[in-house]
Amino acid sequence: METFLVYTMKSGVAMFLFYGVYLLLLKKSTHFKLNRFYLLSTFIFSIVLPFIQIDLFTSSKPQVIHYMLKAVEINQIESIDTAVIPLYGIISWAYLLVLSGLLLWLIIGLVRIIHIYVTAIPLKTDEVTIHKTAADHGPFSFFTHVFIPSTLIPSPNLNQIVEHELVHVRQGHSLDALLVDVISAVIWFNPMVWIYRASIKETHEYLADQGVISKGYHPVSYKQMILESAIGSKVLLPVNSFNRIKIKNRLIMINKLKPSRFAALKLVAVLPVVAFLFYSFSNPVTSIENSLLSLTEDIAVESYALTLNELKDDTVYAQVDEMPVFSKGGNDGLRMYIAQNIKYPASARDKGIQASIFVSFVINKKGKVENVELIRAKSYILDGKKKVNTSAPELEEESLRVVKSLPDFTPGKQNGKPVSVKMTVPINYKLDGKKKDKKNK
């Protein structure tokens, strides 16, 4: 779940920054082709950015720090830490429920389009097929097909309506719309996705309006036709409909249809944003001559150095493209498994011994746990507020026992191939006297 949340943060921040540039420099511009390119490219770039890997050559000293998991807290009364109760399960089901609803909505829209297509009367033209329909909907286009309700066929504005939809067809707006709708359904939890979606489809309508005016139709009569057509129309998804966006915005833009020759120069302003995002959010991959950084929490751990000779086919990596995943719930499930299976040794508890113990282990290419070993142990007894160091072999043995019993993982991958990965889990034994609730309230 941590990886999922990090991805969401990165892609969301990237969209926020890119969209900020759009609001400041491009939104009020009538260079709609440029706006369409900018919105689509930054939208897709923000989605793939967290997966981009960059080689960084900043150090020639080979040093690897353990990949450090969050600490597991073992309490004297209960061995279950409420913080590790698998909320990821609830969140996962909620995500899938909303995703299913949005995809179902999209599929229903496509089925309705197919139904209209089957029941419509095709009217062939040189460029596209226009379908005369009996359904109650507004005019719309879907890829190379234009659908016009029969109630508009005798309309004096029919040529303008058809020309509007032809612009959508010529410029491939349906592909944009379908792509954005699918992505919006998959990452629906990111509010910036919906803002982007609305702006992209809004730009489609601006482009279509611009195309009609460029054919010589009078702006005043065209605006009047837009107002008349807006009343009572219905929308289908995913299509380019004649009345998909706020009419007021379209009318304002029609009055400004004079693109600036220097609008493209504004894109220079986005370069610092791209550089910042690459530097801050891309996933760094270092060469074997460099340091592989990892996560640490709580107590600092001495670095674990690997020689260059070790980083070959049989290497044990500290960080890879795809980290191993615990088969029973990822990192949260791993912590919960350890917390549930560790028993605070009575001998240590009676003596008032507490400890922070770091256990490393290797997940081999088959996902098996091996090479479990103690990396560091700091045991102590509280004398008032002072910590008095002591030894606690029973706590160390218990920690090793449980880690050795871990079920299989999904193995880590480097360059698409399974590899062995070394990980470390801190286990904190505490005698705070506070009872922990086993139930997830």
Side-chain angles (χ1 to χ4, degrees):
M1 179 177 292
E2 290 94 342
T3 302
F4 180 75
L5 293 176
V6 169
Y7 169 80
T8 302
M9 180 275 293
K10 288 182 178 180
S11 62
V13 170
M15 288 184 189
F16 177 80
L17 293 176
F18 282 130
Y19 196 79
V21 173
Y22 172 74
L23 287 179
L24 291 173
L25 302 178
L26 299 174
K27 183 174 176 60
K28 295 182 178 180
S29 167
T30 56
H31 204 303
F32 301 127
K33 289 184 178 179
L34 176 65
N35 289 2
R36 177 194 179 195
F37 169 78
Y38 177 85
L39 287 170
L40 283 172
S41 59
T42 57
F43 180 68
I44 295 173
F45 178 74
S46 298
I47 292 170
V48 302
L49 175 65
F51 301 110
I52 296 176
Q53 298 174 338
I54 303 175
D55 290 325
L56 300 173
F57 300 95
T58 58
S59 174
S60 59
K61 184 177 180 180
Q63 188 178 45
V64 177
I65 299 177
H66 289 278
Y67 183 87
M68 191 71 59
L69 298 165
K70 286 186 177 180
V72 180
E73 304 294 332
I74 307 300
N75 185 266
Q76 62 164 338
I77 298 177
E78 299 289 349
S79 292
I80 299 177
D81 181 10
T82 56
V84 302
I85 292 177
L87 292 178
Y88 65 87
I90 299 173
I91 295 174
S92 297
W93 278 108
Y95 166 78
L96 292 174
L97 181 63
V98 177
L99 172 63
S100 300
L102 291 173
L103 290 179
L104 179 62
W105 179 48
L106 191 60
I107 292 171
I108 290 174
L110 292 171
V111 171
R112 291 176 64 189
I113 294 172
I114 294 173
H115 175 73
I116 293 174
Y117 172 82
V118 172
T119 58
I121 300 174
L123 305 174
K124 296 287 185 178
T125 67
D126 294 336
E127 190 170 357
V128 297
T129 299
I130 297 177
H131 301 269
K132 178 183 176 181
T133 73
D136 182 18
H137 60 80
F140 68 92
S141 61
F142 189 65
F143 288 93
T144 59
H145 300 273
V146 175
F147 298 84
I148 306 293
S150 57
T151 54
L152 290 178
I153 295 300
S155 171
N157 297 318
L158 180 60
N159 289 339
Q160 296 181 77
I161 293 174
V162 171
E163 184 60 39
H164 177 99
E165 299 304 330
L166 285 178
V167 176
H168 289 310
V169 171
R170 296 185 193 112
Q171 298 185 6
H173 294 173
S174 292
L175 182 60
D176 295 359
L178 189 58
L179 175 66
V180 171
D181 282 339
V182 171
I183 293 176
S184 299
V186 174
I187 51 177
W188 56 264
F189 48 84
N190 185 341
M192 290 304 304
V193 167
W194 299 99
I195 295 174
Y196 256 93
R197 177 179 180 273
S199 293
I200 290 171
K201 296 188 176 185
E202 181 180 61
T203 302
H204 288 168
E205 294 306 310
Y206 293 158
L207 282 165
D209 292 339
Q210 186 181 56
V212 174
I213 300 301
S214 68
K215 289 293 184 179
Y217 292 98
H218 198 280
V220 175
S221 62
Y222 181 66
K223 288 191 290 184
Q224 181 64 33
M225 185 267 296
I226 290 176
L227 289 172
E228 293 174 357
S229 301
I231 301 175
S233 64
K234 293 184 178 180
V235 174
L236 291 172
L237 293 174
V239 298
N240 290 108
S241 172
F242 190 79
N243 300 292
R244 290 297 300 272
I245 64 171
K246 293 180 180 179
I247 301 301
K248 179 181 177 181
N249 292 349
R250 292 174 63 185
L251 299 180
I252 291 174
M253 284 301 182
I254 289 174
N255 291 331
K256 298 171 57 179
L257 292 179
K258 292 182 179 180
S260 169
R261 292 179 297 176
F262 304 103
L265 294 177
K266 295 179 180 179
L267 290 183
V268 176
V270 81
L271 295 180
V273 177
V274 173
F276 169 77
L277 292 172
F278 262 117
Y279 181 79
S280 302
F281 294 153
S282 59
N283 184 24
V285 176
T286 58
S287 64
I288 58 176
E289 291 84 9
N290 296 317
S291 298
L292 294 177
L293 300 180
S294 66
L295 303 177
T296 56
E297 296 189 14
D298 303 321
I299 301 175
V301 181
E302 292 86 357
S303 59
Y304 177 77
L306 295 179
T307 66
L308 294 180
N309 292 331
E310 290 177 296
L311 291 174
K312 293 182 180 178
D313 293 341
D314 296 328
T315 186
V316 175
Y317 292 88
Q319 186 171 343
V320 291
D321 298 342
E322 298 178 36
M323 294 298 293
V325 178
F326 187 59
S327 58
K328 298 184 177 181
N331 288 346
D332 286 342
L334 171 61
R335 295 172 60 228
M336 184 179 69
Y337 178 91
I338 294 174
Q340 287 178 330
N341 286 275
I342 279 186
K343 306 300 180 184
Y344 207 124
S347 58
R349 185 176 62 243
D350 293 342
K351 296 175 183 177
I353 299 176
Q354 305 183 65
S356 292
I357 295 175
F358 294 82
V359 178
S360 72
F361 54 98
V362 173
I363 308 301
N364 66 23
K365 298 177 182 179
K366 296 182 179 180
K368 303 290 184 181
V369 176
E370 60 184 22
N371 297 340
V372 179
E373 59 181 345
L374 182 69
I375 296 298
R376 177 178 177 179
K378 182 179 180 180
S379 306
Y380 58 90
I381 298 174
L382 286 178
D383 183 6
K385 293 184 178 181
K386 183 180 179 181
K387 292 182 179 180
V388 179
N389 293 334
T390 186
S391 61
E394 58 269 55
L395 295 181
E396 298 169 9
E397 292 173 4
E398 179 65 8
S399 301
L400 292 171
R401 179 190 70 80
V402 174
V403 174
K404 288 178 180 178
S405 72
L406 289 174
D408 292 349
F409 286 63
T410 300
K413 292 183 179 180
Q414 181 73 6
N415 298 325
K417 297 181 179 180
V419 295
S420 297
V421 180
K422 192 180 187 87
M423 307 175 75
T424 297
V425 58
I427 303 173
N428 295 333
Y429 293 83
K430 294 183 178 180
L431 297 173
D432 55 13
K434 296 179 181 178
K435 185 174 183 179
K436 296 193 176 184
D437 192 355
K438 290 183 180 181
K439 296 181 180 180
N440 182 20
K441 297 182 180 180

